[in-house]
């Protein structure tokens, strides 16, 4: 289904864990993580240390085995088609690429970012304990959210459900309820992050980027 987060269309579905080779993919990722829990060419020059195992920009590193995502491609393609149909696009073709996976554990975090080289992006919660970990934190780019509740309409906070995505427009940040094998699709310009993790365990996500074009 598609919901509006800050007025931006966000698609959420649940992937059947039996529809792809989950065990093999997880084994490869976890074996790589055991070799080095900090693998980060993504933002390693940032003044904020992410402390993550992140495969982006490091795919040719022979110390790590590349996961075989082939069983996921048809699953992702089906979900992407559903999203684009729901958006009522006409004469549209698309291509997508699984661009990275991330393993996060205690003290890991991911700074605010958008995806600048695609139209839409996806997040697949491959291994995720919703009791221990935060889901993706989305950031509202509308300036009014900085002061709406505190200054203009403080009474709204007393009557609205602050966990309902329909009310996300009022807040600077918002998280949606997430379970393992949930799959999100959203416009690449939607800023997002992952807050610092306080618990042990492993939070593993796979990300794909989508580019669209007019078909003839």
């Amino acid at each position: 289904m598609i919901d509006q987060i800050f007025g931006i269309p966000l698609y959420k579905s649940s992937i059947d864990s039996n529809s792809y080779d989950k065990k093999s993919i997880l084994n490869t990722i976890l074996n790589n993580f055991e070799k080095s829990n900090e693998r980060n060419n993504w933002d390693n020059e940032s003044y904020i240390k992410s402390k993550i195992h992140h495969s982006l920009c490091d795919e040719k590193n022979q110390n790590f085995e590349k996961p075989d995502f082939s069983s996921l491609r048809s699953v992702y393609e089906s979900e992407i088609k559903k999203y684009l149909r729901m958006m009522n696009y006409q004469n549209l073709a698309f291509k997508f690429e699984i661009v990275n996976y991330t393993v996060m554990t205690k003290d890991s975090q991911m700074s605010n970012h958008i995806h600048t080289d695609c139209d839409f992006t996806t997040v697949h919660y491959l291994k995720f304990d919703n009791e221990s970990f935060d889901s993706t934190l989305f950031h509202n780019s509308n300036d009014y959210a900085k002061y709406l509740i505190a200054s203009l309409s403080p009474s709204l906070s007393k009557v609205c459900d602050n966990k309902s995505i329909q009310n996300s427009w009022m807040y600077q940040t918002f998280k949606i309820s997430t379970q393992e094998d949930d799959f999100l699709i959203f416009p690449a310009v939607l800023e997002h992050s992952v807050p610092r993790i306080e618990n042990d365990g492993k939070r593993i996500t796979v990300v794909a980027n989508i580019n669209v074009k007019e078909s003839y």
Side-chain angles (χ1 to χ4, degrees):
M1 63 177 294
I2 291 181
D3 273 313
Q4 297 288 322
I5 182 168
F6 318 134
I8 296 174
L10 182 146
Y11 173 87
K12 175 183 171 183
S13 67
S14 179
I15 290 176
D16 181 355
S17 62
N18 295 314
S19 66
Y20 67 99
D21 194 355
K22 182 169 184 170
K23 182 178 179 180
S24 175
I25 293 171
L26 275 176
N27 283 342
T28 301
I29 291 173
L30 290 170
N31 285 339
N32 288 340
F33 178 81
E34 292 302 318
K35 293 177 182 178
S36 177
N37 59 4
E38 291 191 44
R39 176 192 181 192
N40 181 24
N41 289 338
W42 172 61
D43 69 346
N44 59 357
E45 296 182 357
S46 172
Y47 69 93
I48 300 175
K49 296 298 182 182
S50 293
K51 194 182 176 183
I52 55 178
H53 181 99
H54 195 299
S55 66
L56 188 66
C57 306
D58 197 32
E59 289 293 333
K60 296 182 180 180
N61 189 331
Q62 295 184 356
N63 292 326
F64 304 103
E65 181 183 354
K66 187 174 182 179
D68 181 2
F69 290 123
S70 58
S71 63
L72 269 176
R73 286 197 59 84
S74 61
V75 177
Y76 286 5
E77 183 175 14
S78 175
E79 295 297 331
I80 293 167
K81 285 180 178 178
K82 289 178 187 177
Y83 175 74
L84 296 177
R85 281 198 298 266
M86 290 179 184
M87 294 287 287
N88 294 317
Y89 291 123
Q90 303 295 321
N91 299 321
L92 190 68
F94 72 90
K95 62 180 180 178
F96 72 96
E97 180 181 0
I98 298 175
V99 292
N100 69 78
Y101 66 84
T102 304
V103 185
M104 305 181 70
T105 188
K106 189 173 182 180
D107 295 328
S108 296
Q109 65 182 15
M110 185 172 285
S111 57
N112 301 14
H113 63 283
I114 61 173
H115 293 223
T116 58
D117 54 351
C118 59
D119 299 305
F120 301 94
T121 194
T122 77
V123 180
H124 177 196
Y125 295 85
L126 188 70
K127 182 176 176 59
F128 184 81
D129 177 2
N130 65 328
E131 297 293 329
S132 301
F133 300 122
D134 280 321
S135 58
T136 304
L137 183 67
F138 294 100
H139 298 259
N140 193 345
S141 62
N142 295 303
D143 288 339
Y144 62 74
K146 296 177 182 178
Y147 48 80
L148 177 66
I149 294 297
S151 302
L152 295 183
S153 304
S155 61
L156 277 178
S157 63
K158 298 178 182 179
V159 298
C160 74
D161 179 359
N162 62 8
K163 295 182 179 180
S164 171
I165 196 170
Q166 284 76 21
N167 296 325
S168 62
W169 63 275
M170 297 189 294
Y171 299 100
Q172 286 185 262
T173 59
F174 195 84
K175 290 183 294 185
I176 65 171
S177 177
T178 308
Q179 307 286 333
E180 183 165 303
D181 268 317
D182 276 355
F183 184 72
L184 306 182
I185 309 176
F186 49 91
V189 295
L190 179 56
E191 188 177 12
H192 53 287
S193 66
V194 181
R196 181 180 292 275
I197 293 174
E198 304 294 339
N199 298 303
D200 293 320
K202 296 177 181 66
R203 178 191 190 276
I204 302 177
T205 54
V206 178
V207 170
N209 286 341
I210 307 164
N211 285 285
V212 301
K213 65 178 181 178
E214 186 178 3
S215 61
Y216 298 95

